Amino acid sequence: MTPGDPLRDLGVRVSGGVGELRVWSEHADAVELCIFDGTDPNWIIKTVPMTQDAHGVWSGKSRLLAPGCRYGIRVSGPAGPTHAFHPEKTLIEPYSRGLVRVGADQWQSSVVDGSFDWAGAEKPRTPLDHAVVYEAHVRGISKLNPAVPADLRGTYAGLAHAATIGYLKNLGVTSIELLPVHAFVSEQRLLKQGLINYWGYNTQNFFSPHADYATKAAQAAGPEAVLREFKGMVKLLHEAGLEVILDVVYNHTAEEGPSGPVTSLRGVDNAAYYRQGDDGTYIDVTGCGNTVDFGHDVPSRLVLDSLRYWANDVQVDGFRFDLAATLARNGDVHFQQDHPLITAIRDDPDLAGTKLIAEPWDVGQGGWQTGNFPEGWTEWNDRYRDRMRSFWLTDIGGARRMIPAGSGIGRFATRLAGSSNTFSQERGPLASLNFITAHDGFTMADLTAYNVKHNVGNGESNRDGTDSNLSFNHGTEGPTRDVSILTARRKAMRNLMGTLLLSAGVPMITAGDEFGRSQRGNNNAYCQDSELTWLNWDFDDWQQDLHRVSRRLLQLRRENPALRPVRFGRPGETTPGASRMNWYNALGRTMSEDDWNSPRERTLQYLAASTPEHEEYNRILLIVHGLERDTGVILPTHEDVTSYTLLWDSSHDDLRDAVITHDPGTPLLLTGASIQLLRTNQAPR
């Protein structure tokens, strides 16, 4: 930001006892600052006519515009199909650092001081190849945790409580990704049904933390206390070495479609902030009623300023961009790989070192863009998700009905090794954010227990939520006491979790999957703020076992850098940071073309050796068997490998301490549908 920048210092700045508000609106013909009484939300104690400069920035000053002051703006302008000026409405100022609810659908902006003592706490700056993302909901993670004091449960302070932090550290994740925490409201449709938006993908303001996630005491004290609690959460997580990543929703706002509420951007300058045709018809590529227009410089600047605020003033470590393809649509509404906004986010020195994760699609034409974001971005890899679900679930379900798999094991192997067919050589495997589940869709446990969604409780007659789940119930729909079905389901969960945490790329665990949380078959629980979506900390015995398995897998990922390559290797070359990979079939022979492509082949052996830059040399053997019948393999003979030591076997839900070694070239029995991870041993050099 330079002194000559015409869009500098938007929002409120207080200096020398005087507050100045700067608001951009290109098409307005008048903007008025309204300052409210501190006790009566309907009493305007002062109005300030604002003046416009040559760049569309309106400014006004007042000594009353100080920390704790509640204010709003009124904007008037021309009528016309692309405009939505309502000078009678008091609007939320777009750069508000705090919001106060003053009525059912009424909000006022609030000036906050924002000062905070970080006491030396610094960002962990976890290298991307060491990162393990844990996607969680602020309320859901601690709402039912008896180890968290009752008044803190379901709040920012509850997430920062020692019991929550201790659990995350003990599990072994590095980065917690929070579902939206920007101030949001529920859609009008949901409110009429008596439901709410639990997930939060309906942003009202890009700078204010969601007040309802603060403790009652902080809410009562006001926006300054809410922000302080949020920063305190970040500080404590950082002191524990945990990163904070925010799921941010810049693609649309809570103003919904053209007939939706007028609360902020629509009333400030509808023609500039929202995509629309000349006749005022909204161009909606988000499926949420409106689409922010990133073919225009000012909405892009709004996003950049918001990101800078959260990354620097609030010290968060990264962002996951909801429907990120929308942010890369140009003036013609086409996806542009080098769109100025997504390259600016990557190259901005104020965002240096910030983790950038894209959900690389939206619902518009040409919206599916997995693999097409520029270098410096990591992307949710839906191809990885679908391939791994197919391999361990629908392919096995099909085999029971004598239906062959739809493809050979080669596609599974490609995803396991970092998805080089999706991400370029320059971007490498860390461009892939690997996931089996996320907040939307079945939980991992439900993937193994339901063939179809069960969303009647969402109030849409089971129409909402995807029908393409790639799940397999293993013989009966939903809960059962059948021991054989339960055993198969639990092994399937171990296979899915093992695949996720032993794959090249950046893994993301959905909160609760590590112990088998269920949503009773609801694959779209966006409107369920209840025990259905909150984590239940009262584990059954089998959940304790699965939790121990998850911890062990995370430990193995940390200890074996061959599982965490930074770059793709090149045949015949030694590439620092890449893993040298050798692939063998069940007979211990190099994979043939038929081995890769035949749907009949469901077993492979994957030998990966690190090429160290910062860690010790490491080599592992991963054996994958995707049929339910037991099979034997011949362990590969390779260079200086003298033996293999078993590290993990998904066919067991206990963690046996026995040390089991095998010689190269000897047979090994694999239990049906299982994974084994072994460490190689070699003679001293």
Side-chain angles (χ1 to χ4, degrees), residues 265-295:
L265 300 183
R266 176 174 290 136
V268 172
D269 199 330
N270 184 58
Y273 278 110
Y274 293 119
R275 288 194 183 274
Q276 52 192 300
D278 293 339
D279 63 353
T281 301
Y282 272 20
I283 300 170
D284 180 13
V285 301
T286 68
C288 300
N290 67 61
T291 298
V292 178
D293 185 0
F294 297 114

PDB file of all heavy atoms in Angstrom, residues 265-295:
ATOM      1  N   LEU A 265     -22.970  -4.172   0.601  1.00  0.00           N
ATOM      2  CA  LEU A 265     -22.425  -3.924  -0.730  1.00  0.00           C
ATOM      3  C   LEU A 265     -23.493  -3.575  -1.756  1.00  0.00           C
ATOM      4  O   LEU A 265     -23.275  -2.728  -2.628  1.00  0.00           O
ATOM      5  CB  LEU A 265     -21.629  -5.142  -1.214  1.00  0.00           C
ATOM      6  CG  LEU A 265     -20.429  -5.571  -0.363  1.00  0.00           C
ATOM      7  CD1 LEU A 265     -19.709  -6.739  -1.017  1.00  0.00           C
ATOM      8  CD2 LEU A 265     -19.480  -4.413  -0.124  1.00  0.00           C
ATOM      9  N   ARG A 266     -24.662  -4.216  -1.676  1.00  0.00           N
ATOM     10  CA  ARG A 266     -25.717  -3.930  -2.649  1.00  0.00           C
ATOM     11  C   ARG A 266     -26.151  -2.472  -2.564  1.00  0.00           C
ATOM     12  O   ARG A 266     -26.365  -1.806  -3.583  1.00  0.00           O
ATOM     13  CB  ARG A 266     -26.909  -4.865  -2.435  1.00  0.00           C
ATOM     14  CG  ARG A 266     -28.089  -4.543  -3.370  1.00  0.00           C
ATOM     15  CD  ARG A 266     -29.202  -5.575  -3.249  1.00  0.00           C
ATOM     16  NE  ARG A 266     -28.776  -6.843  -3.818  1.00  0.00           N
ATOM     17  CZ  ARG A 266     -28.976  -8.039  -3.264  1.00  0.00           C
ATOM     18  NH1 ARG A 266     -29.602  -8.135  -2.108  1.00  0.00           N
ATOM     19  NH2 ARG A 266     -28.565  -9.128  -3.861  1.00  0.00           N
ATOM     20  N   GLY A 267     -26.277  -1.975  -1.350  1.00  0.00           N
ATOM     21  CA  GLY A 267     -26.695  -0.593  -1.180  1.00  0.00           C
ATOM     22  C   GLY A 267     -25.582   0.412  -1.398  1.00  0.00           C
ATOM     23  O   GLY A 267     -25.841   1.580  -1.684  1.00  0.00           O
ATOM     24  N   VAL A 268     -24.325  -0.039  -1.274  1.00  0.00           N
ATOM     25  CA  VAL A 268     -23.187   0.861  -1.497  1.00  0.00           C
ATOM     26  C   VAL A 268     -22.964   1.086  -2.987  1.00  0.00           C
ATOM     27  O   VAL A 268     -22.796   2.220  -3.445  1.00  0.00           O
ATOM     28  CB  VAL A 268     -21.918   0.297  -0.833  1.00  0.00           C
ATOM     29  CG1 VAL A 268     -20.685   1.112  -1.229  1.00  0.00           C
ATOM     30  CG2 VAL A 268     -22.074   0.281   0.682  1.00  0.00           C
ATOM     31  N   ASP A 269     -22.940  -0.005  -3.758  1.00  0.00           N
ATOM     32  CA  ASP A 269     -22.780   0.135  -5.214  1.00  0.00           C
ATOM     33  C   ASP A 269     -23.036  -1.221  -5.865  1.00  0.00           C
ATOM     34  O   ASP A 269     -22.106  -1.963  -6.197  1.00  0.00           O
ATOM     35  CB  ASP A 269     -21.387   0.643  -5.577  1.00  0.00           C
ATOM     36  CG  ASP A 269     -21.346   1.234  -6.981  1.00  0.00           C
ATOM     37  OD1 ASP A 269     -22.121   0.774  -7.845  1.00  0.00           O
ATOM     38  OD2 ASP A 269     -20.546   2.159  -7.217  1.00  0.00           O
ATOM     39  N   ASN A 270     -24.296  -1.554  -6.037  1.00  0.00           N
ATOM     40  CA  ASN A 270     -24.703  -2.833  -6.600  1.00  0.00           C
ATOM     41  C   ASN A 270     -24.064  -3.092  -7.959  1.00  0.00           C
ATOM     42  O   ASN A 270     -23.610  -4.195  -8.262  1.00  0.00           O
ATOM     43  CB  ASN A 270     -26.228  -2.862  -6.728  1.00  0.00           C
ATOM     44  CG  ASN A 270     -26.769  -4.183  -7.213  1.00  0.00           C
ATOM     45  OD1 ASN A 270     -26.529  -5.219  -6.589  1.00  0.00           O
ATOM     46  ND2 ASN A 270     -27.501  -4.168  -8.317  1.00  0.00           N
ATOM     47  N   ALA A 271     -23.989  -2.061  -8.797  1.00  0.00           N
ATOM     48  CA  ALA A 271     -23.483  -2.226 -10.164  1.00  0.00           C
ATOM     49  C   ALA A 271     -22.021  -2.615 -10.187  1.00  0.00           C
ATOM     50  O   ALA A 271     -21.563  -3.289 -11.117  1.00  0.00           O
ATOM     51  CB  ALA A 271     -23.693  -0.934 -10.952  1.00  0.00           C
ATOM     52  N   ALA A 272     -21.263  -2.206  -9.173  1.00  0.00           N
ATOM     53  CA  ALA A 272     -19.832  -2.488  -9.153  1.00  0.00           C
ATOM     54  C   ALA A 272     -19.496  -3.781  -8.418  1.00  0.00           C
ATOM     55  O   ALA A 272     -18.552  -4.484  -8.796  1.00  0.00           O
ATOM     56  CB  ALA A 272     -19.084  -1.321  -8.498  1.00  0.00           C
ATOM     57  N   TYR A 273     -20.240  -4.103  -7.375  1.00  0.00           N
ATOM     58  CA  TYR A 273     -19.850  -5.234  -6.526  1.00  0.00           C
ATOM     59  C   TYR A 273     -20.395  -6.581  -6.996  1.00  0.00           C
ATOM     60  O   TYR A 273     -19.797  -7.618  -6.701  1.00  0.00           O
ATOM     61  CB  TYR A 273     -20.290  -4.983  -5.081  1.00  0.00           C
ATOM     62  CG  TYR A 273     -19.329  -4.103  -4.318  1.00  0.00           C
ATOM     63  CD1 TYR A 273     -19.673  -2.809  -3.957  1.00  0.00           C
ATOM     64  CD2 TYR A 273     -18.066  -4.564  -3.960  1.00  0.00           C
ATOM     65  CE1 TYR A 273     -18.792  -1.992  -3.258  1.00  0.00           C
ATOM     66  CE2 TYR A 273     -17.178  -3.766  -3.259  1.00  0.00           C
ATOM     67  CZ  TYR A 273     -17.540  -2.485  -2.913  1.00  0.00           C
ATOM     68  OH  TYR A 273     -16.662  -1.686  -2.232  1.00  0.00           O
ATOM     69  N   TYR A 274     -21.520  -6.608  -7.728  1.00  0.00           N
ATOM     70  CA  TYR A 274     -22.122  -7.882  -8.097  1.00  0.00           C
ATOM     71  C   TYR A 274     -22.179  -8.057  -9.610  1.00  0.00           C
ATOM     72  O   TYR A 274     -22.474  -7.111 -10.346  1.00  0.00           O
ATOM     73  CB  TYR A 274     -23.536  -7.998  -7.515  1.00  0.00           C
ATOM     74  CG  TYR A 274     -23.553  -8.080  -6.009  1.00  0.00           C
ATOM     75  CD1 TYR A 274     -24.205  -7.120  -5.242  1.00  0.00           C
ATOM     76  CD2 TYR A 274     -22.903  -9.119  -5.349  1.00  0.00           C
ATOM     77  CE1 TYR A 274     -24.217  -7.189  -3.853  1.00  0.00           C
ATOM     78  CE2 TYR A 274     -22.902  -9.196  -3.967  1.00  0.00           C
ATOM     79  CZ  TYR A 274     -23.554  -8.235  -3.231  1.00  0.00           C
ATOM     80  OH  TYR A 274     -23.548  -8.310  -1.860  1.00  0.00           O
ATOM     81  N   ARG A 275     -21.920  -9.277 -10.052  1.00  0.00           N
ATOM     82  CA  ARG A 275     -21.989  -9.582 -11.483  1.00  0.00           C
ATOM     83  C   ARG A 275     -23.443  -9.551 -11.948  1.00  0.00           C
ATOM     84  O   ARG A 275     -24.309 -10.189 -11.334  1.00  0.00           O
ATOM     85  CB  ARG A 275     -21.409 -10.972 -11.761  1.00  0.00           C
ATOM     86  CG  ARG A 275     -19.903 -11.047 -11.638  1.00  0.00           C
ATOM     87  CD  ARG A 275     -19.375 -12.331 -12.251  1.00  0.00           C
ATOM     88  NE  ARG A 275     -17.942 -12.463 -12.076  1.00  0.00           N
ATOM     89  CZ  ARG A 275     -17.038 -11.944 -12.911  1.00  0.00           C
ATOM     90  NH1 ARG A 275     -17.436 -11.273 -13.977  1.00  0.00           N
ATOM     91  NH2 ARG A 275     -15.750 -12.118 -12.684  1.00  0.00           N
ATOM     92  N   GLN A 276     -23.682  -8.849 -13.039  1.00  0.00           N
ATOM     93  CA  GLN A 276     -25.043  -8.762 -13.576  1.00  0.00           C
ATOM     94  C   GLN A 276     -24.996  -8.325 -15.029  1.00  0.00           C
ATOM     95  O   GLN A 276     -23.994  -7.782 -15.504  1.00  0.00           O
ATOM     96  CB  GLN A 276     -25.879  -7.770 -12.760  1.00  0.00           C
ATOM     97  CG  GLN A 276     -25.251  -6.403 -12.576  1.00  0.00           C
ATOM     98  CD  GLN A 276     -25.971  -5.577 -11.526  1.00  0.00           C
ATOM     99  OE1 GLN A 276     -27.154  -5.295 -11.677  1.00  0.00           O
ATOM    100  NE2 GLN A 276     -25.277  -5.202 -10.462  1.00  0.00           N
ATOM    101  N   GLY A 277     -26.075  -8.616 -15.734  1.00  0.00           N
ATOM    102  CA  GLY A 277     -26.212  -8.158 -17.099  1.00  0.00           C
ATOM    103  C   GLY A 277     -26.680  -6.721 -17.147  1.00  0.00           C
ATOM    104  O   GLY A 277     -26.981  -6.100 -16.114  1.00  0.00           O
ATOM    105  N   ASP A 278     -26.752  -6.182 -18.355  1.00  0.00           N
ATOM    106  CA  ASP A 278     -27.177  -4.792 -18.514  1.00  0.00           C
ATOM    107  C   ASP A 278     -28.584  -4.548 -18.003  1.00  0.00           C
ATOM    108  O   ASP A 278     -28.938  -3.419 -17.645  1.00  0.00           O
ATOM    109  CB  ASP A 278     -27.095  -4.384 -19.991  1.00  0.00           C
ATOM    110  CG  ASP A 278     -25.664  -4.339 -20.499  1.00  0.00           C
ATOM    111  OD1 ASP A 278     -24.748  -4.220 -19.657  1.00  0.00           O
ATOM    112  OD2 ASP A 278     -25.464  -4.424 -21.726  1.00  0.00           O
ATOM    113  N   ASP A 279     -29.377  -5.622 -17.977  1.00  0.00           N
ATOM    114  CA  ASP A 279     -30.755  -5.469 -17.508  1.00  0.00           C
ATOM    115  C   ASP A 279     -30.886  -5.694 -16.004  1.00  0.00           C
ATOM    116  O   ASP A 279     -31.994  -5.723 -15.464  1.00  0.00           O
ATOM    117  CB  ASP A 279     -31.676  -6.428 -18.258  1.00  0.00           C
ATOM    118  CG  ASP A 279     -31.319  -7.899 -18.006  1.00  0.00           C
ATOM    119  OD1 ASP A 279     -30.272  -8.168 -17.358  1.00  0.00           O
ATOM    120  OD2 ASP A 279     -32.080  -8.777 -18.467  1.00  0.00           O
ATOM    121  N   GLY A 280     -29.739  -5.856 -15.323  1.00  0.00           N
ATOM    122  CA  GLY A 280     -29.765  -6.050 -13.889  1.00  0.00           C
ATOM    123  C   GLY A 280     -29.933  -7.481 -13.438  1.00  0.00           C
ATOM    124  O   GLY A 280     -29.928  -7.767 -12.233  1.00  0.00           O
ATOM    125  N   THR A 281     -30.061  -8.425 -14.392  1.00  0.00           N
ATOM    126  CA  THR A 281     -30.166  -9.839 -14.029  1.00  0.00           C
ATOM    127  C   THR A 281     -28.834 -10.316 -13.467  1.00  0.00           C
ATOM    128  O   THR A 281     -27.792 -10.157 -14.101  1.00  0.00           O
ATOM    129  CB  THR A 281     -30.544 -10.685 -15.249  1.00  0.00           C
ATOM    130  OG1 THR A 281     -31.789 -10.228 -15.771  1.00  0.00           O
ATOM    131  CG2 THR A 281     -30.651 -12.159 -14.873  1.00  0.00           C
ATOM    132  N   TYR A 282     -28.877 -10.901 -12.272  1.00  0.00           N
ATOM    133  CA  TYR A 282     -27.642 -11.361 -11.645  1.00  0.00           C
ATOM    134  C   TYR A 282     -27.063 -12.556 -12.407  1.00  0.00           C
ATOM    135  O   TYR A 282     -27.799 -13.448 -12.837  1.00  0.00           O
ATOM    136  CB  TYR A 282     -27.890 -11.761 -10.200  1.00  0.00           C
ATOM    137  CG  TYR A 282     -27.752 -10.627  -9.201  1.00  0.00           C
ATOM    138  CD1 TYR A 282     -27.827  -9.294  -9.600  1.00  0.00           C
ATOM    139  CD2 TYR A 282     -27.539 -10.886  -7.858  1.00  0.00           C
ATOM    140  CE1 TYR A 282     -27.693  -8.261  -8.693  1.00  0.00           C
ATOM    141  CE2 TYR A 282     -27.411  -9.860  -6.931  1.00  0.00           C
ATOM    142  CZ  TYR A 282     -27.482  -8.546  -7.359  1.00  0.00           C
ATOM    143  OH  TYR A 282     -27.345  -7.524  -6.458  1.00  0.00           O
ATOM    144  N   ILE A 283     -25.745 -12.558 -12.565  1.00  0.00           N
ATOM    145  CA  ILE A 283     -25.016 -13.698 -13.116  1.00  0.00           C
ATOM    146  C   ILE A 283     -24.491 -14.482 -11.924  1.00  0.00           C
ATOM    147  O   ILE A 283     -23.538 -14.063 -11.261  1.00  0.00           O
ATOM    148  CB  ILE A 283     -23.870 -13.233 -14.033  1.00  0.00           C
ATOM    149  CG1 ILE A 283     -24.423 -12.403 -15.196  1.00  0.00           C
ATOM    150  CG2 ILE A 283     -23.074 -14.437 -14.547  1.00  0.00           C
ATOM    151  CD1 ILE A 283     -23.351 -11.706 -16.022  1.00  0.00           C
ATOM    152  N   ASP A 284     -25.123 -15.588 -11.631  1.00  0.00           N
ATOM    153  CA  ASP A 284     -24.847 -16.331 -10.392  1.00  0.00           C
ATOM    154  C   ASP A 284     -24.078 -17.607 -10.705  1.00  0.00           C
ATOM    155  O   ASP A 284     -24.652 -18.575 -11.200  1.00  0.00           O
ATOM    156  CB  ASP A 284     -26.163 -16.650  -9.685  1.00  0.00           C
ATOM    157  CG  ASP A 284     -25.957 -17.415  -8.385  1.00  0.00           C
ATOM    158  OD1 ASP A 284     -24.807 -17.473  -7.910  1.00  0.00           O
ATOM    159  OD2 ASP A 284     -26.943 -17.951  -7.853  1.00  0.00           O
ATOM    160  N   VAL A 285     -22.777 -17.628 -10.422  1.00  0.00           N
ATOM    161  CA  VAL A 285     -21.977 -18.837 -10.624  1.00  0.00           C
ATOM    162  C   VAL A 285     -21.678 -19.528  -9.300  1.00  0.00           C
ATOM    163  O   VAL A 285     -20.900 -20.484  -9.250  1.00  0.00           O
ATOM    164  CB  VAL A 285     -20.662 -18.522 -11.370  1.00  0.00           C
ATOM    165  CG1 VAL A 285     -20.949 -17.910 -12.723  1.00  0.00           C
ATOM    166  CG2 VAL A 285     -19.742 -17.624 -10.544  1.00  0.00           C
ATOM    167  N   THR A 286     -22.300 -19.055  -8.211  1.00  0.00           N
ATOM    168  CA  THR A 286     -22.063 -19.644  -6.893  1.00  0.00           C
ATOM    169  C   THR A 286     -23.225 -20.495  -6.410  1.00  0.00           C
ATOM    170  O   THR A 286     -23.058 -21.293  -5.483  1.00  0.00           O
ATOM    171  CB  THR A 286     -21.822 -18.534  -5.850  1.00  0.00           C
ATOM    172  OG1 THR A 286     -23.044 -17.790  -5.654  1.00  0.00           O
ATOM    173  CG2 THR A 286     -20.721 -17.583  -6.313  1.00  0.00           C
ATOM    174  N   GLY A 287     -24.401 -20.316  -7.018  1.00  0.00           N
ATOM    175  CA  GLY A 287     -25.586 -21.022  -6.552  1.00  0.00           C
ATOM    176  C   GLY A 287     -26.171 -20.429  -5.289  1.00  0.00           C
ATOM    177  O   GLY A 287     -27.029 -21.046  -4.652  1.00  0.00           O
ATOM    178  N   CYS A 288     -25.733 -19.228  -4.915  1.00  0.00           N
ATOM    179  CA  CYS A 288     -26.157 -18.619  -3.658  1.00  0.00           C
ATOM    180  C   CYS A 288     -26.914 -17.312  -3.859  1.00  0.00           C
ATOM    181  O   CYS A 288     -27.135 -16.566  -2.909  1.00  0.00           O
ATOM    182  CB  CYS A 288     -24.948 -18.382  -2.766  1.00  0.00           C
ATOM    183  SG  CYS A 288     -24.052 -19.898  -2.357  1.00  0.00           S
ATOM    184  N   GLY A 289     -27.291 -17.012  -5.101  1.00  0.00           N
ATOM    185  CA  GLY A 289     -28.105 -15.836  -5.358  1.00  0.00           C
ATOM    186  C   GLY A 289     -27.354 -14.666  -5.940  1.00  0.00           C
ATOM    187  O   GLY A 289     -27.894 -13.886  -6.717  1.00  0.00           O
ATOM    188  N   ASN A 290     -26.099 -14.483  -5.548  1.00  0.00           N
ATOM    189  CA  ASN A 290     -25.287 -13.412  -6.111  1.00  0.00           C
ATOM    190  C   ASN A 290     -23.851 -13.886  -6.280  1.00  0.00           C
ATOM    191  O   ASN A 290     -23.447 -14.913  -5.704  1.00  0.00           O
ATOM    192  CB  ASN A 290     -25.358 -12.140  -5.256  1.00  0.00           C
ATOM    193  CG  ASN A 290     -24.715 -12.314  -3.879  1.00  0.00           C
ATOM    194  OD1 ASN A 290     -23.532 -12.594  -3.755  1.00  0.00           O
ATOM    195  ND2 ASN A 290     -25.512 -12.111  -2.821  1.00  0.00           N
ATOM    196  N   THR A 291     -23.079 -13.144  -7.059  1.00  0.00           N
ATOM    197  CA  THR A 291     -21.663 -13.437  -7.272  1.00  0.00           C
ATOM    198  C   THR A 291     -20.903 -12.119  -7.240  1.00  0.00           C
ATOM    199  O   THR A 291     -21.231 -11.182  -7.985  1.00  0.00           O
ATOM    200  CB  THR A 291     -21.428 -14.123  -8.625  1.00  0.00           C
ATOM    201  OG1 THR A 291     -22.120 -15.376  -8.649  1.00  0.00           O
ATOM    202  CG2 THR A 291     -19.947 -14.370  -8.862  1.00  0.00           C
ATOM    203  N   VAL A 292     -19.920 -12.027  -6.366  1.00  0.00           N
ATOM    204  CA  VAL A 292     -19.091 -10.824  -6.309  1.00  0.00           C
ATOM    205  C   VAL A 292     -18.291 -10.725  -7.607  1.00  0.00           C
ATOM    206  O   VAL A 292     -17.774 -11.720  -8.115  1.00  0.00           O
ATOM    207  CB  VAL A 292     -18.167 -10.855  -5.076  1.00  0.00           C
ATOM    208  CG1 VAL A 292     -17.267  -9.626  -5.046  1.00  0.00           C
ATOM    209  CG2 VAL A 292     -19.011 -10.918  -3.792  1.00  0.00           C
ATOM    210  N   ASP A 293     -18.191  -9.512  -8.144  1.00  0.00           N
ATOM    211  CA  ASP A 293     -17.607  -9.294  -9.472  1.00  0.00           C
ATOM    212  C   ASP A 293     -16.108  -9.039  -9.371  1.00  0.00           C
ATOM    213  O   ASP A 293     -15.672  -7.903  -9.130  1.00  0.00           O
ATOM    214  CB  ASP A 293     -18.298  -8.111 -10.152  1.00  0.00           C
ATOM    215  CG  ASP A 293     -17.825  -7.914 -11.586  1.00  0.00           C
ATOM    216  OD1 ASP A 293     -16.966  -8.695 -12.051  1.00  0.00           O
ATOM    217  OD2 ASP A 293     -18.322  -6.982 -12.241  1.00  0.00           O
ATOM    218  N   PHE A 294     -15.323 -10.096  -9.598  1.00  0.00           N
ATOM    219  CA  PHE A 294     -13.874  -9.944  -9.553  1.00  0.00           C
ATOM    220  C   PHE A 294     -13.287  -9.613 -10.921  1.00  0.00           C
ATOM    221  O   PHE A 294     -12.082  -9.694 -11.122  1.00  0.00           O
ATOM    222  CB  PHE A 294     -13.238 -11.194  -8.947  1.00  0.00           C
ATOM    223  CG  PHE A 294     -13.663 -11.402  -7.516  1.00  0.00           C
ATOM    224  CD1 PHE A 294     -14.437 -12.503  -7.158  1.00  0.00           C
ATOM    225  CD2 PHE A 294     -13.337 -10.488  -6.544  1.00  0.00           C
ATOM    226  CE1 PHE A 294     -14.855 -12.675  -5.853  1.00  0.00           C
ATOM    227  CE2 PHE A 294     -13.751 -10.641  -5.232  1.00  0.00           C
ATOM    228  CZ  PHE A 294     -14.516 -11.748  -4.885  1.00  0.00           C
ATOM    229  N   GLY A 295     -14.169  -9.224 -11.836  1.00  0.00           N
ATOM    230  CA  GLY A 295     -13.715  -8.572 -13.044  1.00  0.00           C
ATOM    231  C   GLY A 295     -13.515  -7.083 -12.813  1.00  0.00           C
ATOM    232  O   GLY A 295     -13.059  -6.359 -13.696  1.00  0.00           O
TER     233      GLY A 295
END
